[in-house]
Amino acid sequence: MVIPMTDTTSHHPIEHFIRQYLPEAGGVWECVEPQVYDLLLPETLQEDQDVARVVFDPEALPEHPGSQFMTLGTPLVDRLLEDARRRGRYAGGYVHGLNLHPYGLEQRIRRSLDLPPKVSLAFTPPQPVHVTIAVFWFEATFISDQKEQAVFHAAVDLHQLRHVRHLERLLEEATLSDQPVQQLDSSEGASLTTGYRMAREQVTATVAAAANLRRRELAERTERQLQRMAHYYRDLLAEADARLIRANQKQQDPVKEFNRRRNIERERDIRLAEARKKAALRVQLRLSNLLTVHQPKLRTTAHLARPASSEPIELHLTWDPLLEVLEPLDCPRCAHPVFALRLPGRDAGWCCPTCAVLTQ
Amino acid sequence: MVRDMELLEHHTRTAQAVLQRMRGRAMLCDEVGLGKTIEAGLILCELMMRGLVRRVLVLTPPSLIEQWQGEMRRKFSIELTTHDDPAFRESLRRSGAAAWGMHERLIASFHTAKRSPHREAILDQAWDVVIIDEAHHMRNSRTQLWKFASQLSKRFTLLLTATPVQNNLEELFNLVTLLEPGLLSTSKSFQRRFVDRRDKLTPRNVDELHELLAEVMVRNRRSTVGLEFTRRYARTEQLAPREDERRLYEYVTELVRRQLNQPERGLSRMALLSLQAQMGSSAEAAAPTLRKLAGHEELSAEVRAQLHGLADEAGRVNGNVKADRLLELLDELDDKLVVFTQFRGTQEMLQERLMGAGIEAAVFHGGLGRLEKERQIALFERQTRVLLTTDSGSEGRNLQFCNAICNFDLPWNPMRIEQRIGRLSRIGQARDVHVINLVAAGTVEAAILHLLEAKLAMFEMVIGEIDMVLGNLDEETDFADVVADLWGASSGLDDFAHRMEQLGDRLVAAKRAYAEQQAIDDRIFADRFRPEP
């Protein structure tokens, strides 16, 4: 009777990672025996040898001399992890499955806008275009006497240069693909660099708030600790001084007491320095991943006309088929996103209600 | 990233509390057997993975060095270097005490660390983390050890002890001061504020004291973590040896004792003690050693001839009373049984006897390859009733599907016996565990067993407690060495039994002291220091 080996389907996390990752990265693994593998590394990861024998169980090392033990901190694992991180740093995707022919679009747009009375609105046929949304993930590391890492994200619509908040719906796996389902024109928009600056500004504010909170806590705790220590060592030194005086009075050799005092001072200096060192908080913020999502949107131009006016006003409108809403327009005067449009002067163009009041 | 262990909720909660709330400075005071070492390993592992720690120093009593190295290697893939390792010795030879600065993760015994020139070299280093196991050895601030620990330069510190207080509350003050000087103010102020004048073990202003202690202390208790082991039942069968076995045992014993007491004996103490232990196991275990020693040219011709004769006699012994009894036991038992022996010779003999009786056994020993080890364990789990195993290599293997073990022979070190029982009597064991000890009357092992069972009731103790009791003996050497010394110094078995009685009295006192310590700690700390979920 052949006795099967104990269950090997539950792999060590690093073993699991290698089995999943290596084929994706262009390498190959072959299981020699449980927890022992030959790895054919992708070219980018090869160093002196292209095939590496690795073990995930330290007990297997003596049976496979020349093999490498795979645990966190060993060069090969670090290299593979770094490679995986590098590969995951940038990706692009397309949203598909959206309704690009919504029923009654003109009426829905009209309902979304708050227009002055007696104006007419005429639309050109809507054009679907790909709008780029850049999603930035930042890794913030707070280092003091402990290390905490947090990931913050910010998404920017490069066409409108606005923050995007509905990430969950945007990144829904079922509607994302790495190739476009239909070829559409790309809308013009700001560069990734501009989007990055905008995203970083937003994340920095959040990280700064988190860092300040941590810094305050740390400072309070350290201050308390330093006070306690200072008090403790002050008392010890006072005790040592008293002993020194007694030794002098008894005409004993004071060297021992001097040494004792010096030792206390030395220890105090070490402990206080340790505590102060631990109180410093450093924060590192780095961009860890970037995803550009191309989402189809419907663009249309509307002409806003007053009965007595000669020139209609041209409005560039964008319908978001993912959220099924009209995107707000930027007020030409204050740049605030608005749905309410006012016409303050005869040929003065349009503006938001606030700007209109200011004009009057 | 851990292996070969079941991580329990209180382990992870403790690690989180120490890392987040206590910022890496803590006293882990769990009750015995709840896994303080695992908690410390988890914290260390996490600190290393976060890149906060590079230089590690672990300080333990000498008897725990090997265990720590093994556990850290097996469970956390952390390699700790001892000052006995060849690589460290080489650094020591080349660079002297500066070697302490050349290795990143070191483990040393208290005794080595506090001794010159190591002491100065260790104090000269900046350590990222210092872990002190059995930290109750540092309860007294007037000792060299406490002073040494207080002078260490360290970012993170873990003190591990199940019994932070024994004689007075000042001991607690001393331990906490090692972690965070000033947290409990100065000694005088602590006495005034927190110690009852009439009783040094009774705290005052308990809530305030607990509040301060909670900044650095974690204490999990079996009752609060909901971890209760099943019961253990032990029985010892003392068997009268067969005539040829008895005669051989007496001859070898006489020769070994005579050799041990000779200043220029030509044989190492270790070789002689090993031979004696093999005789306690079986003639088959001792025969190859007798033959090998007989070829030792430094011995006199007379001794060599004696050894030759004894080797021949060992080869002629036909049968083993304990093996006979084991076969009977297997008839009586209807469940699986793990049979432990220290020696391959005995294991082979038992395998042959079992085969002769038509009983198939899985065989496990340190010489097997890794996969063969797995196969043998699987064979035992799925097919055979018996696992014949030596002590080495079975750590970390899951044997909880079985609930009976037989100590065919007995290591002189009770910690080893405990490790055997611990293979079955552990988390995941659903049934009561039965321990059967087989021992031949009139042997060293019979005397040891009498002491451990009758005096200490060791087999009913929680895993880890025996270590605490032995620790209270205040011996600097291993318990096995203490026994060996007594045995070497005794004139005969009766004298040895008498000396063992005296040792037994000391053990009983040590056990009582341990029970008192436990009661004191329970009274002082209660359930206040469990890490919050």
Side-chain angles (χ1 to χ4, degrees):
Chain A
M1 177 185 173
V2 178
I3 298 296
M5 309 266 291
T6 45
D7 179 27
T8 53
T9 50
S10 54
H11 301 291
H12 187 265
I14 297 178
E15 184 181 355
H16 183 72
F17 161 69
I18 301 285
R19 290 170 67 105
Q20 297 263 311
Y21 177 67
L22 205 57
E24 295 289 330
V28 178
W29 55 259
E30 186 187 4
C31 185
V32 179
E33 60 186 51
Q35 299 190 64
V36 179
Y37 290 76
D38 280 338
L39 306 183
L40 175 62
L41 300 169
E43 267 179 34
T44 48
L45 284 172
Q46 284 173 14
E47 279 192 340
D48 42 347
Q49 54 186 36
D50 46 359
V51 178
R53 173 151 299 184
V54 298
V55 302
F56 294 91
D57 178 356
E59 277 191 33
L61 276 170
E63 292 166 27
H64 298 275
S67 61
Q68 299 181 50
F69 178 50
M70 299 291 271
T71 188
L72 286 180
T74 54
L76 183 54
V77 173
D78 283 356
R79 242 165 50 224
L80 283 162
L81 286 173
E82 184 47 39
D83 187 58
R85 282 161 63 135
R86 189 180 54 76
R87 281 170 195 274
R89 266 179 205 148
Y90 173 76
Y94 292 83
V95 180
H96 59 80
L98 303 181
N99 180 10
L100 300 183
H101 304 282
Y103 177 75
L105 180 63
E106 287 184 13
Q107 283 73 25
R108 291 168 81 175
I109 292 176
R110 275 179 215 279
R111 276 202 299 275
S112 304
L113 292 172
D114 171 6
L115 298 172
K118 295 180 189 166
V119 295
S120 65
L121 205 55
F123 294 93
T124 59
Q127 289 294 317
V129 289
H130 268 142
V131 169
T132 306
I133 297 165
V135 190
F136 301 89
W137 279 274
F138 292 87
E139 183 187 272
T141 310
F142 304 88
I143 308 166
S144 58
D145 53 352
Q146 64 168 221
K147 183 175 173 181
E148 286 176 87
Q149 284 185 314
V151 174
F152 297 91
H153 62 254
V156 178
D157 179 332
L158 294 181
H159 170 64
Q160 304 271 25
L161 219 54
R162 282 189 196 139
H163 288 293
V164 174
R165 309 206 187 277
H166 53 278
L167 265 193
E168 260 180 45
R169 288 187 65 181
L170 184 71
L171 302 182
E172 220 168 78
E173 219 173 308
T175 57
L176 261 190
S177 65
D178 54 0
Q179 294 296 328
V181 173
Q182 79 186 106
Q183 295 297 336
L184 301 175
D185 289 341
S186 293
S187 79
E188 288 169 13
S191 68
L192 270 177
T193 314
T194 311
Y196 166 73
R197 285 199 195 105
M198 205 173 144
R200 193 183 58 183
E201 202 176 313
Q202 187 197 354
V203 166
T204 305
T206 316
V207 171
N212 284 336
L213 188 71
R214 282 172 175 77
R215 188 173 287 124
R216 259 199 311 278
E217 279 173 7
L218 193 61
E220 277 169 21
R221 190 156 23 84
T222 309
E223 189 49 41
R224 214 167 47 232
Q225 201 178 356
L226 286 171
Q227 276 177 9
R228 282 171 181 163
M229 275 191 204
H231 180 216
Y232 170 75
Y233 286 109
R234 205 168 43 238
D235 280 13
L236 283 188
L237 286 170
E239 228 172 76
D241 287 342
R243 287 164 75 123
L244 194 62
I245 292 167
R246 277 201 300 276
N248 278 333
Q249 283 168 348
K250 290 180 186 171
Q251 293 184 330
Q252 290 168 339
D253 185 3
V255 174
K256 193 179 153 196
E257 298 306 331
F258 270 127
N259 286 342
R260 187 180 144 77
R261 199 181 194 288
R262 212 174 45 222
N263 283 342
I264 295 170
E265 282 175 336
R266 178 181 171 271
E267 196 190 312
R268 177 197 60 193
D269 295 345
I270 290 175
R271 298 289 164 251
L272 292 178
E274 273 173 10
R276 285 199 186 99
K277 196 172 161 192
K278 282 170 77 170
L281 175 75
R282 280 187 300 129
V283 184
Q284 291 168 350
L285 183 68
R286 69 178 187 92
L287 177 66
S288 63
N289 299 81
L290 166 63
L291 173 68
T292 51
V293 181
H294 304 282
Q295 188 207 321
K297 292 190 180 180
L298 295 173
R299 294 190 59 189
T300 179
T301 305
H303 292 99
L304 185 71
R306 284 182 289 206
S309 176
S310 52
E311 278 295 309
I313 298 168
E314 204 174 74
L315 299 173
H316 298 291
L317 301 171
T318 307
W319 176 260
D320 184 343
L322 180 71
L323 301 177
E324 295 194 314
V325 292
L326 177 73
E327 291 189 347
L329 291 145
D330 287 342
C331 168
R333 297 192 187 174
C334 67
H336 278 121
V338 290
F339 290 103
L341 278 59
R342 296 292 176 265
L343 302 168
R346 200 167 167 72
D347 290 310
W350 74 275
C351 63
C352 67
T354 315
C355 291
V357 171
L358 290 174
T359 308
Q360 285 161 7
Chain B
M1 293 298 150
V2 296
R3 62 175 79 228
D4 282 351
M5 60 188 269
E6 192 178 341
L7 212 51
L8 299 173
E9 201 189 337
H10 73 270
H11 294 147
T12 44
R13 274 217 309 263
T14 299
Q16 278 166 357
V18 171
L19 287 164
Q20 289 167 8
R21 190 161 55 80
M22 302 179 185
R23 325 293 281 199
R25 283 193 177 223
M27 199 153 75
L28 307 180
C29 302
D30 291 3
E31 279 182 345
V32 165
L34 291 182
K36 287 187 286 295
T37 317
I38 290 174
E39 289 163 2
L42 266 184
I43 295 163
L44 176 60
C45 208
E46 191 62 36
L47 287 171
M48 283 167 63
M49 289 207 310
R50 291 181 188 191
L52 290 171
V53 156
R54 202 170 55 86
R55 307 221 56 223
V56 180
L57 176 67
V58 180
L59 299 172
T60 78
S63 58
L64 294 179
I65 287 190
E66 213 178 303
Q67 195 179 321
W68 259 89
Q69 264 190 312
E71 283 206 41
M72 290 299 118
R73 181 185 300 132
R74 212 173 50 247
K75 295 177 177 166
F76 300 98
S77 304
I78 295 174
E79 201 60 51
L80 294 172
T81 307
T82 72
H83 76 288
D84 273 342
D85 285 342
F88 190 83
R89 282 187 174 182
E90 181 56 25
S91 314
L92 212 54
R93 195 184 60 77
R94 283 191 185 168
S95 319
W100 290 95
M102 297 160 81
H103 296 260
E104 289 198 339
R105 297 164 202 162
L106 287 156
I107 180 164
S109 73
F110 297 149
H111 305 290
T112 303
K114 72 178 184 189
R115 227 176 40 220
S116 273
H118 305 302
R119 176 192 169 89
E120 292 73 19
I122 294 171
L123 289 179
D124 224 26
Q125 304 295 321
W127 301 97
D128 292 322
V129 61
V130 172
I131 299 175
I132 301 177
D133 194 14
E134 306 295 358
H136 46 267
H137 288 277
M138 306 203 176
R139 287 187 290 224
N140 185 344
S141 64
R142 282 176 286 279
T143 60
Q144 236 192 333
L145 199 54
W146 189 92
K147 286 174 186 160
F148 165 73
S150 77
Q151 286 171 31
L152 281 167
S153 166
K154 52 208 182 280
R155 279 178 76 199
F156 304 106
T157 315
L158 301 175
L159 303 183
L160 281 59
T161 175
T163 51
V165 179
Q166 182 182 22
N167 301 310
N168 54 62
L169 282 168
E170 195 180 352
E171 295 167 336
L172 181 66
F173 170 82
N174 292 335
L175 287 174
V176 171
T177 299
L178 278 183
L179 278 178
E180 199 178 318
L183 177 66
L184 297 180
S185 192
T186 57
S187 174
K188 276 184 190 164
S189 157
F190 174 78
Q191 298 282 353
R192 262 199 316 271
R193 239 159 93 199
F194 296 120
V195 184
D196 190 309
R197 280 186 196 167
R198 288 156 299 180
D199 179 8
K200 289 177 180 172
L201 277 168
T202 302
R204 296 172 61 216
N205 301 319
V206 177
D207 286 344
E208 191 189 347
L209 176 62
H210 280 182
E211 205 173 301
L212 287 169
L213 285 175
E215 290 191 29
V216 290
M217 184 169 169
V218 177
R219 181 171 157 87
N220 290 298
R221 302 181 70 193
R222 257 182 295 282
S223 55
T224 54
V225 300
L227 190 66
E228 293 291 344
F229 292 103
T230 55
R231 287 190 64 123
R232 264 192 252 150
Y233 296 98
R235 79 170 195 254
T236 295
E237 301 212 4
Q238 197 164 132
L239 308 163
R242 296 149 49 101
E243 184 49 31
D244 51 354
E245 286 180 279
R246 188 191 57 76
R247 207 173 47 239
L248 179 68
Y249 188 88
E250 281 175 5
Y251 286 154
V252 173
T253 299
E254 184 51 36
L255 184 137
V256 170
R257 187 180 286 114
R258 221 174 38 237
Q259 282 289 313
L260 266 181
N261 291 324
Q262 272 181 18
E264 290 186 17
R265 49 184 176 250
L267 289 175
S268 72
R269 175 184 155 97
M270 194 186 278
L272 289 165
L273 292 177
S274 174
L275 174 62
Q276 187 63 46
Q278 285 162 349
M279 276 310 305
S281 180
S282 72
E284 285 80 355
T289 307
L290 284 165
R291 211 158 283 129
K292 195 172 137 201
L293 294 180
H296 216 288
E297 287 182 356
E298 284 175 26
L299 292 171
S300 68
E302 187 197 345
V303 175
R304 286 166 60 186
Q306 268 183 335
L307 285 164
H308 264 303
L310 288 170
D312 291 344
E313 198 162 334
R316 279 194 298 273
V317 170
N318 188 18
N320 181 303
V321 69
K322 291 191 292 177
D324 296 341
R325 181 62 192 134
L326 177 64
L327 290 175
E328 288 170 15
L329 276 173
L330 285 168
D331 275 343
E332 293 163 18
L333 287 170
D334 53 1
D335 215 335
K336 287 181 187 286
L337 182 69
V338 181
V339 181
F340 274 102
T341 172
Q342 298 175 86
F343 305 106
R344 285 277 293 124
T346 304
Q347 191 182 39
E348 282 164 13
M349 178 271 288
L350 287 176
Q351 191 179 6
E352 221 168 90
R353 292 289 306 271
L354 290 175
M355 249 163 39
I359 302 169
E360 197 188 351
V363 179
F364 188 101
H365 56 83
L368 294 178
R370 184 180 65 104
L371 298 180
E372 189 51 34
K373 282 181 182 169
E374 296 296 337
R375 258 184 217 111
Q376 290 300 322
I377 297 293
L379 183 73
F380 178 50
E381 184 172 7
R382 295 167 198 184
Q383 192 174 325
T384 69
R385 276 185 60 206
V386 184
L387 173 71
L388 291 175
T389 178
T390 57
D391 292 290
S392 63
S394 66
E395 300 93 346
R397 256 84 192 182
N398 179 0
L399 297 176
Q400 290 105 304
F401 54 84
C402 166
N403 73 328
I405 73 166
C406 170
N407 287 313
F408 189 81
D409 50 36
L410 210 72
W412 292 13
N413 185 344
M415 300 276 288
R416 289 261 155 104
I417 304 172
E418 196 180 56
Q419 279 163 12
R420 286 178 173 183
I421 300 168
R423 303 267 72 82
L424 277 71
S425 181
R426 61 198 304 180
I427 296 153
Q429 176 60 263
R431 297 178 291 171
D432 291 337
V433 171
H434 297 272
V435 182
I436 303 160
N437 303 307
L438 296 181
V439 66
T443 57
V444 177
E445 287 75 16
I448 294 174
L449 202 54
H450 171 71
L451 183 129
L452 296 178
E453 195 179 18
K455 293 255 177 186
L456 269 187
M458 173 192 150
F459 295 98
E460 280 140 43
M461 289 164 84
V462 172
I463 299 286
E465 278 188 322
I466 186 70
D467 189 32
M468 300 299 300
V469 173
L470 296 181
N472 276 352
L473 272 183
D474 282 335
E475 294 283 350
E476 291 210 354
T477 49
D478 270 355
F479 182 79
D481 281 330
V482 174
V483 172
D485 286 344
L486 291 182
W487 182 73
S490 59
S491 55
L493 263 176
D494 288 342
D495 183 29
F496 176 60
H498 176 66
R499 287 169 191 258
M500 287 292 274
E501 275 296 313
Q502 289 173 336
L503 176 61
D505 293 341
R506 286 173 58 205
L507 275 176
V508 169
K511 187 179 179 185
R512 203 180 304 124
Y514 167 64
E516 282 165 13
Q517 279 168 35
Q518 258 192 323
I520 289 165
D521 289 318
D522 287 350
R523 187 163 56 85
I524 296 172
F525 304 118
D527 287 339
R528 289 287 297 269
F529 300 98
R530 60 181 166 178
E532 291 308 320

